[in-house]
Amino acid sequence: MPLISLRDVTKSYPPSSRGGAVVHAVQGLNLDIEAGDIYGIIGYSGAGKSTLVRLINALEDATSGSILVDGDEVTRMKESELRRLRLGIGMIFQQFNLFNSKTVAGNVAYPLEVAKTPRADIAPRVAELLDFVGLSDKARNYPEQLSGGQKQRVGIARALATSPRILLADEATSALDPETTHEVLELLKRVNTEFGVTIVVITHEMDVIQTLATKVAVMDGGRIVEQGDVFDVFSKPTEASSQRFVSTVVRGVPSDAELVALRQRHPGRIVTLSFRDGNTSQGAVFSDLAQAGVAFELIYGGINDIRGRVFGHLTLALTGYADAVDRALATIATKVDVTEAPSHE
Amino acid sequence: MNDLIPLLPKLWQASYETLYIVGLSLIFGGLGGLILGLGLYTTRSNSLFSNRPVFGVLNVLVNVFRPIPFIIFLAAAQPLARFVTGTGIGNTAIIFTLSLAAAFGISRIVEQNLLTVQPGVIEAARSVGASRSRIMLTLLIPEALGPLILGYTFIVVALVDMSAVAGYVGGGGLGTFAIQYGYRQFHPVVTWAAVLVIIVIVQLVQFLGNYLARKALRR
């Protein structure tokens, strides 16, 4: 049984102004997250990601549908039951949301106080958590004395204080620079491997999914348009809206605007070849082109690595006799995915 | 100067009475204002105890009473003061009325300062399973403590100002002293002495408030 299971979940907000339209932040959503997963949820701003993650710990209540966490129906819980549920679900935020009136140690201790942990057990647990996130020397500091990365590490320590089984990360690295992002992601990986915590990561950053997630769902307009293994979804998205999103975050596919610019420089035929997982060598494709008498120039491209599995897109400008190019494309189409850019008018 | 010297004991007595009136009004009005302000803050939409009707009632209540000039409020509330405290005159009556009036003013200051707390901080506390009342008492007030102290300092200064009309209902204090012995006796020096004491009180209060707020904000 999945650890988190959402069935036909809808969340609507009443119109913000009189006579306005009802806003459906999430609609008819189904999602299963297994224990031990690092589940990425990716999509444009306003796709409903933040609402979705808050439905899991009931910071937002669903308008309809069923939400099971560890077999318990969240949507029917009373306030006191919700508080118990939340002790088992940690959460970290884009803006860290640390308590400015408390020290680092005080921030980490707060959930323990809420959980009525015996006083004598709090200090050792706080020390243990600060050691885990590498901030033992900052226990007596206040949040404003910390860097962004340190703040998020305090956030992680606070979220883990009550030893939850689930950690929700809402754009947890979006306010951090690339290097700090990397450190925080490594820390989250350790949370998953060392404590077996199931992590749900909301992000619009490809890097986060690429380095962290084991599975991914693409959200658009309050729905999940595609979900599955990270490599499959990113190397070969099947739905139009996920293709559109993936193409904005995956390196190597020229955007429409870039294609127009490329067209001006290369009047011939332009094709994009998509390689996945090393099942076709680039060399074989290039030699096919050469044998057919087609000259080519690499004009755009990129190679992506997702946890050791590689895929890439190469855009070529082809020159040669029309029938030779047709023949060559027919040959290589049996080996790789070929997408031809529409010719210019 | 010769007018003032024989009145000095009365000046000290009046200073003491002003501090007495302001101090007790701050305690009662401050507490009432804190509760009313928490009510305003927590019942507004998307807050801890969102409740439109309750917020509406509190909001109108505060809006009705807060703008009434204090000297008129003092007269209008006299029957109420008599009913609650047993007397409609003297320092007890003025403390009652002043506390009541201050509570409405303080409630807005409390509400405004609580609104400076980032909603995300409240959300973080909810996400670890804290109850709403726990959040209100152990988090909301500490998070807004610095600005709250400055707000209350501002109110103390306003209370000193308002307490000066106590003489109208037979109360004492520096206002009564200045009118009775200075203005009515044509002794401006006596009036100015009362002014000087008020300036000193206000400066000390503001100094203390700034100091405490700086400590709370750690800057």
Side-chain angles (χ1 to χ4, degrees):
Chain A
M1 192 179 62
L3 182 58
I4 302 168
S5 175
L6 283 78
R7 284 287 164 274
D8 208 21
V9 172
T10 296
K11 172 68 185 178
S12 311
Y13 294 102
S16 53
S17 59
R18 208 172 284 266
V22 174
V23 179
H24 300 286
V26 166
Q27 40 189 334
L29 188 137
N30 294 299
L31 181 66
D32 285 326
I33 299 175
E34 301 289 340
D37 276 352
I38 302 183
Y39 207 108
I41 295 170
I42 195 163
Y44 296 110
S45 317
K49 309 188 296 290
S50 284
T51 304
L52 167 60
V53 79
R54 281 165 177 75
L55 290 169
I56 297 172
N57 63 355
L59 287 180
E60 300 273 3
D61 40 314
T63 309
S64 66
S66 153
I67 301 168
L68 292 176
V69 174
D70 212 1
D72 296 327
E73 179 62 58
V74 170
T75 55
R76 281 199 294 269
M77 284 185 183
K78 294 197 297 269
E79 180 74 20
S80 59
E81 293 170 304
L82 286 177
R83 294 209 297 271
R84 208 164 40 244
L85 168 85
R86 289 178 190 140
L87 287 174
I89 306 179
M91 187 166 186
I92 56 175
F93 305 86
Q94 178 171 6
Q95 296 304 331
F96 322 123
N97 294 346
L98 298 183
F99 309 136
N100 293 317
S101 57
K102 296 181 189 298
T103 60
V104 166
N107 269 273
V108 179
Y110 191 77
L112 296 168
E113 290 159 10
V114 170
K116 301 196 166 59
T117 308
R119 245 184 141 60
D121 299 346
I122 291 182
R125 175 70 180 145
V126 169
E128 188 185 357
L129 287 157
L130 288 180
D131 181 52
F132 176 74
V133 300
L135 288 174
S136 298
D137 55 329
K138 301 282 184 202
R140 287 157 169 275
N141 287 75
Y142 282 90
E144 75 262 16
Q145 298 164 320
L146 304 180
S147 69
Q150 290 171 331
K151 283 182 190 168
Q152 195 57 290
R153 285 192 275 157
V154 175
I156 292 171
R158 180 177 67 182
L160 295 178
T162 52
S163 307
R165 292 187 66 191
I166 300 168
L167 177 65
L168 308 175
D170 182 18
E171 297 279 8
T173 58
S174 301
L176 303 175
D177 62 60
E179 198 176 324
T180 317
T181 294
H182 182 73
E183 284 170 23
V184 168
L185 293 180
E186 287 304 316
L187 185 60
L188 288 175
K189 251 188 210 173
R190 283 178 54 208
V191 168
N192 176 256
T193 53
E194 290 178 32
F195 303 135
V197 174
T198 305
I199 304 181
V200 184
V201 195
I202 298 292
T203 186
H204 64 272
E205 296 172 315
M206 170 68 185
D207 282 350
V208 173
I209 300 294
Q210 203 163 317
T211 52
L212 194 63
T214 50
K215 288 184 195 144
V216 68
V218 181
M219 268 192 95
D220 189 29
R223 299 170 194 279
I224 289 181
V225 290
E226 191 154 346
Q227 56 186 307
D229 180 76
V230 176
F231 184 84
D232 293 338
V233 171
F234 280 99
S235 63
K236 202 176 183 184
T238 54
E239 297 296 320
S241 53
S242 48
Q243 279 168 357
R244 190 160 52 90
F245 180 77
V246 165
S247 70
T248 62
V249 292
V250 165
R251 287 185 294 270
V253 182
S255 68
D256 290 347
E258 284 165 333
L259 215 46
V260 169
L262 291 172
R263 266 268 166 257
Q264 285 171 351
R265 274 178 279 147
H266 305 281
R269 295 174 72 174
I270 293 179
V271 292
T272 298
L273 312 181
S274 302
F275 298 87
R276 300 178 69 218
D277 230 0
N279 49 14
T280 307
S281 82
Q282 293 171 28
V285 172
F286 295 149
S287 67
D288 283 345
L289 290 171
Q291 272 170 21
V294 176
F296 61 88
E297 197 177 338
L298 179 57
I299 57 173
Y300 204 94
I303 306 292
N304 299 271
D305 178 338
I306 294 181
R307 303 189 142 205
R309 296 175 70 186
V310 176
F311 69 94
H313 305 276
L314 299 176
T315 300
L316 308 178
L318 307 176
T319 42
Y321 292 112
D323 57 338
V325 171
D326 283 338
R327 234 177 310 120
L329 285 180
T331 316
I332 62 173
T334 62
K335 296 177 179 168
V336 293
D337 287 336
V338 180
T339 323
E340 179 152 14
S343 59
H344 61 121
E345 291 82 42
Chain B
M1 260 323 190
N2 290 335
D3 304 330
L4 181 61
I5 290 160
L7 288 171
L8 277 178
K10 283 200 158 55
L11 178 63
W12 304 139
Q13 171 66 22
S15 307
Y16 164 76
E17 282 184 66
T18 288
L19 291 175
Y20 171 76
I21 292 167
V22 169
L24 285 184
S25 302
L26 180 67
I27 291 170
F28 297 128
L31 209 60
L34 185 66
I35 292 165
L36 202 51
L38 277 170
L40 282 168
Y41 173 84
T42 54
T43 57
R44 58 168 52 229
S45 56
N46 296 322
S47 189
L48 289 166
F49 298 96
S50 293
N51 188 322
R52 230 195 163 108
V54 173
F55 176 77
V57 168
L58 289 179
N59 196 30
V60 168
L61 198 70
V62 172
N63 283 348
V64 165
F65 286 104
R66 204 169 60 99
I68 301 173
F70 183 62
I71 194 161
I72 298 172
F73 188 72
L74 191 59
Q78 199 183 35
L80 186 63
R82 191 174 290 127
F83 177 75
V84 175
T85 67
T87 174
I89 56 167
N91 287 346
T92 307
I94 187 110
I95 288 168
F96 172 81
T97 316
L98 196 50
S99 300
L100 195 62
F104 291 114
I106 292 172
S107 68
R108 282 291 181 219
I109 287 178
V110 169
E111 181 194 22
Q112 280 164 16
N113 287 319
L114 293 180
L115 282 169
T116 62
V117 176
Q118 292 298 317
V121 169
I122 308 294
E123 190 178 41
R126 286 183 66 209
S127 81
V128 301
S131 70
R132 294 177 293 185
S133 47
R134 173 188 276 270
I135 292 172
M136 196 166 82
L137 297 173
T138 66
L139 203 63
L140 199 53
I141 294 173
E143 288 287 308
L145 193 60
L148 276 176
I149 291 172
L150 290 177
Y152 272 88
T153 307
F154 174 83
I155 279 296
V156 173
V157 175
L159 286 176
V160 172
D161 172 12
M162 289 152 86
S163 74
V165 301
Y168 283 93
V169 291
L174 287 163
T176 311
F177 175 86
I179 298 296
Q180 203 167 327
Y181 299 106
Y183 182 69
R184 295 221 177 106
Q185 311 277 333
F186 303 101
H187 289 156
V189 174
V190 174
T191 311
W192 296 338
V195 169
L196 196 69
V197 175
I198 286 172
I199 290 173
V200 170
I201 290 174
V202 166
Q203 290 297 326
L204 287 177
V205 165
Q206 191 65 52
F207 186 78
L208 183 70
N210 286 349
Y211 171 77
L212 291 176
R214 217 168 31 240
K215 278 201 90 148
L217 292 167
R218 297 183 298 281
R219 60 173 89 104

